[in-house]
Amino acid sequence: MSSAGHPGLEGRTIVVTGAGGGQGAAAALVLAAAGAQVIATDVTDTPALDLDGVDYRRLDVTDEAGWASLGRSLADDLGDEPLRGLVNNAGITHRARLGAVAREDWDRVLAVNLTGPLLGIQALAPLMGSGSSIVNIGSSAALNGHYPVAYTTSKWGLRGLTHAAATELGPRGIRVNLVHPGFIETPMTAGAPQAMREAQLALTPLERVGSADEVAQVVAFLLSDAASYLSGAEIPVDGAFTSSAGAKFMSDRIAGG
Ligand code: NAD
C-alpha cells in the first residue's frame, strides 16, 4: 500500500463501508496512512484483511437501524467536530442476465448498491460540515450496458443519487463525487468469467487490470483538500476502458489488418 500524501486528512474522521476486504480495505489503509481516523465497516463481524491502525465496526449498509446507531456513536465521539468523510464502497455483484434475474436477487443488489449509499448519506450527512466529502463507488458498468442487469442498473442509479446529493448538500459545503472502477483485482472479480476478464483486457487501452490501491488513491484525493472545488464529478479509474468505448477493438483490428 502506498501512503502518498493527501493534504488535510490528518485527524479527520472518515467512514468507509464494505471495508473488510477489497477496495474498501485498501481505501481504509491509504486514508489511515494519511493520518485520518478511519471507521472501517463491513457486514462481517471481523475484517477479511488486517486493518492495522483502523477502527472496525460491523455494519450492514441495508440496515437503517445500524446506520442510526453508527450516527449516534459518531455524534458522541465527535462532539462539536464534523464528520469529514463517507466512502459508500460496499457493493455486491450478481451476474444474471435480463431474462434470468430473479426478483429477490434484483432487490438484494439494489438494496446494497443503491439503497445502502442513500441510507448512509441520510444518516451521516447531518454530522458533516463545510469541507466534508462523500465518495460513492460506482463502476464502469454505470457508463455502459454491462450484461449483469441488476448490478448495472444499481450503478446507473448511483449516478442519479450522487448528482442529487451534490446539488442538495453543496450549499452546506459538502462535496459528493462518484468513482467508477474498471476491472480491479479483488475478491469480487476473482469469480468473474474468464471470458469477461479477457474481453475487458482487450478493450482497456492500458492493457492491464487495476489494483485496489490505485482506486484508493483517487478516493483519498477526493476526500482531501486537494479536491476542494470538485463536486458532482464522475471519475473513471479504468485504464481508459470507458473512454475508449470499444474503439480500441476497432483500432487494433485496423492496425492488425
Ligand atoms: P469485494 O467483494 O472485494 O468487497 C466488497 C465488500 O463489501 C466486501 O468486504 C463485502 O463483505 C462488503 N459487503 C457486501 N455486502 C455488504 C453489506 N450489505 N453491508 C456492508 N458491506 C457489505 O468487492 P470490491 O471489488 O472491493 O468492490 C468494492 C466496490 O467497488 C463495490 O461497490 C463494487 O461494486 C465496486 N466495483 C468493483 C470493481 C472491481 O473490478 N473489483 C469494478 C467496478 C466497481
Side-chain angles (χ1 to χ4, degrees):
M1 295 291 166
S2 164
S3 59
H6 294 285
L9 292 181
E10 297 84 4
R12 292 186 177 178
T13 302
I14 297 170
V15 172
V16 185
T17 69
Q23 294 175 58
L29 290 169
V30 165
L31 294 168
Q37 180 69 43
V38 182
I39 316 288
T41 66
D42 206 301
V43 72
T44 51
D45 285 334
T46 50
L49 294 180
D50 182 13
L51 296 177
D52 198 25
V54 169
D55 181 7
Y56 182 82
R57 302 186 199 183
R58 186 184 183 283
L59 173 72
D60 180 337
V61 296
T62 67
D63 176 12
E64 239 175 308
W67 277 112
S69 160
L70 176 64
R72 281 193 300 275
S73 139
L74 284 171
D76 286 346
D77 293 349
L78 287 164
D80 292 335
E81 288 295 311
L83 176 67
R84 299 307 293 261
L86 167 64
V87 184
N88 281 313
N89 165 82
I92 55 174
T93 189
H94 180 71
R95 298 191 177 98
R97 293 170 186 265
L98 182 65
V101 68
R103 170 68 189 267
E104 66 190 43
D105 293 323
W106 172 271
D107 288 347
R108 187 169 53 88
V109 171
L110 287 173
V112 175
N113 295 2
L114 183 54
T115 308
L118 169 74
L119 296 177
I121 292 170
Q122 286 182 326
L124 301 191
L127 304 179
M128 295 182 169
S130 185
S132 298
S133 168
I134 296 170
V135 181
N136 294 329
I137 305 299
S139 170
S140 52
L143 300 168
N144 61 29
H146 193 37
Y147 75 92
V149 65
Y151 183 79
T152 295
T153 303
S154 71
K155 295 298 187 178
W156 276 80
L158 195 51
R159 298 179 66 191
L161 175 63
T162 301
H163 292 293
T167 302
E168 182 107 357
L169 299 175
R172 291 178 49 208
I174 302 169
R175 299 180 293 105
V176 188
N177 291 291
L178 182 57
V179 170
H180 293 309
F183 195 106
I184 310 297
E185 289 283 18
T186 69
M188 180 179 280
T189 44
Q194 186 60 21
M196 179 176 147
R197 173 184 291 262
E198 286 166 8
Q200 176 98 24
L201 273 175
L203 293 168
T204 298
L206 284 187
E207 297 188 334
R208 65 173 179 83
V209 299
S211 72
D213 191 56
E214 288 176 305
V215 178
Q217 295 294 342
V218 177
V219 170
F221 161 71
L222 290 170
L223 289 160
S224 79
D225 289 344
S228 54
Y229 199 53
L230 186 49
S231 190
E234 301 187 35
I235 305 182
V237 184
D238 66 358
F241 168 65
T242 50
S243 159
S244 180
K248 176 172 165 39
F249 175 74
M250 181 172 60
S251 172
D252 290 351
R253 286 293 286 269
I254 292 167

